[in-house]
Amino acid sequence: MSTNPDFTHFVEINNFPSVYVNLFAQKTLAINYLTSIIKHNKNNSFTCFTNKDNFYSGLSEQDGSQISAALQEKCKKILFLNRNKSQNGIHFHLLLDDIIKLKATKKSLAVLFVPDIFFANINKDNLTIVLKKLNDHATSNDLTIQLLVYGSITSTSLKPALLALNHHLAGLASMSMISDDKYSYQVHFWAKSDGVQSDKTFVVQKTAHGVLAAVPVSTPNIAALSSQDDTALIVMSHAVVDDDIPLPAHVQLAANNAEIISDLTTPPSTTLILSCQSPEEIRQLAVDCLHLRQKAGPRLKIIIREVRQCLRYADETFLLSAGVNLIVPYHLPFLRMMSQVDAIQGQRMTRLLPDNTEELLLNDPNYNARGYLDNQTFIQYCHTVMQQFTSPQLDVVLVKLKLLPGMQPDECLRLCHIRRDGDVITACHHALYVLFSAIRQTDIHTALNNIFDAPVRDLFQTVRVISAHHDLEKELEVVGKEALTVCADIKKITTEPAIFAENNSTEDKMTALFAAPKRIRLKGES
């Protein structure tokens, strides 16, 4: 990874004509980058492929004012999609044809701000046509075009497609979140007048002036470390060990995790196996692992064994971000775990880690809402969650549950019981809306069936899953227009005690924690 702090090389544009593409996991990242490039360049034009309200939705008042002032000051031309037209299914290439017809200033930067929904179903041939149109437009007007695309599909499908069509581009880069205030900017390739650069990664932060600047990053000297052999020593917590299993001579037992963490004599290449028995331990365990990693360096192997079923997928990604090498699920037998231990010997930790505890805890998957929220609070919470750091494997998903004819929202809400932090629901005249703050796509329908007493397919007319940020923001506008007041007792029914409430039985915790199919009792069964 490059640690060269000269990030301005990729925001100052003076290569004419050319087409560059930047991909962003979230809209706020794209807006931060947009602010930087228009402040670093003089002749700018800005075209947004959403309406103005959608562009500013979800931004804080300060961020909205900042980008608005920057656009007014630095851009000679500012265009938004017509609000009435944006409700219809408009194809990207048709909008592009309209933009190409507009008069462009030569030797200027044209920024196109596009949600990923326009590329969701585009095939290779159509994508090639779009890139050729952009190149022809840049050449005929001596422009530099920056195509900024944001949304969930940018890394999964759009980036591989653009890499395959690299001969149509002058540059391709992508940005993702490391924490709430720190981002990773990866340059796949980037042509300038002085040559081509590729495979560079920058850690960037937003400055007080509202622009992105690189942060110097120190990386371990892997080549020097690789010449040293790992120690065979394995230290594990007593809770990790199964009964009646003899341990090899190179395995040492500690009374608990605290004894392992406090031992200052542990060699830097030791394998440490810590236990995790309850969700209350996760936060402190992550902090301890980060301190161990910072103290011992990249050769230390940290393994966490789930002694009781208590880790959600979001918890696992949080622990991995703290420098943990491996997480062993509770159902894996001890001997199989030891095979996994052997498999990671010789590894070096090369992942980028938080600089301190405060930065680590920004990645903690703790959510401050659960159950029923009124419409406006629900909308505000959705916008907040969309801007937070999440693992690339987890999605923020809005599910629209359209009511059956004759069914009232109150009737359906009485059958809903939400117990997982971060999952919220609201009601409108025509539908219920459920937000899953962090979920895998494969778990959505199972999770839905787990929060309703009746099968979702029998309770609602249609189920629509919305994960694209652009579509989600547009649907939230509908939620605001179709607001419905719900009585307090239904709110209480919908919002169940937390998954790990102290008065819950162990069995209740296990079934509520994970998205797992459940059998529906037939009529007449006890």
Side-chain angles (χ1 to χ4, degrees), residues 20-69:
Y20 297 94
V21 178
N22 278 274
L23 306 176
F24 306 90
Q26 299 172 346
K27 184 175 73 173
T28 49
L29 298 182
I31 289 179
N32 288 338
Y33 181 81
L34 169 66
T35 306
S36 295
I37 60 174
I38 62 176
K39 285 189 174 183
H40 276 93
N41 298 278
K42 296 180 179 179
N43 297 322
N44 304 304
S45 66
F46 174 71
T47 304
C48 182
F49 282 63
T50 67
N51 62 54
K52 191 173 182 179
D53 291 341
N54 189 275
F55 176 76
Y56 286 104
S57 67
L59 299 181
S60 65
E61 185 176 346
Q62 179 181 356
D63 289 342
S65 299
Q66 191 175 61
I67 184 59
S68 179

Side-chain angles (χ1 to χ4, degrees), residues 149-355:
V149 186
Y150 67 91
S152 56
I153 72 163
T154 52
S155 60
T156 56
S157 59
L158 187 55
K159 182 169 71 175
L162 291 171
L163 285 171
L165 299 173
N166 60 82
H167 49 286
H168 293 293
L169 299 173
L172 177 64
S174 56
M175 183 183 288
S176 57
M177 293 188 74
I178 298 174
S179 63
D180 280 353
D181 64 343
K182 189 176 289 186
Y183 319 119
S184 173
Y185 185 78
Q186 184 177 4
V187 179
H188 306 291
F189 62 92
W190 202 271
K192 299 281 282 187
S193 56
D194 56 350
V196 179
Q197 299 192 44
S198 63
D199 293 331
K200 288 185 175 293
T201 301
F202 296 86
V203 177
V204 296
Q205 280 183 316
K206 192 175 180 180
T207 67
H209 301 289
V211 298
L212 297 175
V215 179
V217 179
S218 59
T219 55
N221 187 346
I222 301 300
L225 292 173
S226 61
S227 62
Q228 306 178 35
D229 294 330
D230 282 349
T231 178
L233 179 62
I234 298 174
V235 182
M236 64 176 64
S237 170
H238 190 272
V240 168
V241 185
D242 290 348
D243 295 335
D244 303 326
I245 293 182
L247 299 176
H250 62 280
V251 175
Q252 294 182 4
L253 278 183
N256 48 42
N257 289 348
E259 183 177 322
I260 298 175
I261 294 165
S262 60
D263 188 357
L264 301 179
T265 63
T266 303
S269 59
T270 304
T271 299
L272 304 180
I273 306 179
L274 307 174
S275 64
C276 185
Q277 304 186 61
S278 70
E280 289 78 14
E281 297 179 4
I282 296 171
R283 193 176 177 90
Q284 185 60 49
L285 191 57
V287 172
D288 292 336
C289 289
L290 180 63
H291 291 165
L292 285 171
R293 176 64 63 196
Q294 291 174 331
K295 179 178 68 174
R299 298 171 62 207
L300 182 72
K301 271 76 65 183
I302 304 176
I303 299 172
I304 293 179
R305 189 184 190 198
E306 187 183 25
V307 178
R308 293 188 180 90
Q309 187 177 9
C310 60
L311 292 175
R312 299 185 299 188
Y313 186 78
D315 299 323
E316 293 178 359
T317 58
F318 175 51
L319 290 168
L320 291 173
S321 71
V324 174
N325 296 80
L326 179 68
I327 297 175
V328 180
Y330 82 104
H331 57 75
L332 198 70
F334 179 81
L335 295 179
R336 291 294 303 276
M337 181 195 74
M338 294 305 294
S339 298
Q340 298 294 312
V341 172
D342 292 339
I344 69 167
Q345 298 306 307
Q347 286 188 3
R348 306 292 188 266
M349 176 61 64
T350 59
R351 288 197 304 270
L352 194 63
L353 300 177
D355 292 332

Side-chain angles (χ1 to χ4, degrees), residues 17 83-84 91 200 203 251 286 318 335 356 383 445 460 483 511:
R83 184 177 304 173
N84 296 326
H91 295 290
K200 288 185 175 293
V203 177
V251 175
F318 175 51
L335 295 179
N356 49 54
H383 284 305
H445 290 284
F460 300 97
T511 57

Side-chain angles (χ1 to χ4, degrees), residues 24 176 217 240 351 371 379 381 399 402 421 443 468:
F24 306 90
S176 57
V217 179
V240 168
R351 288 197 304 270
I379 293 170
Y381 180 76
V399 183
K402 187 175 180 180
D421 288 342
D443 293 338

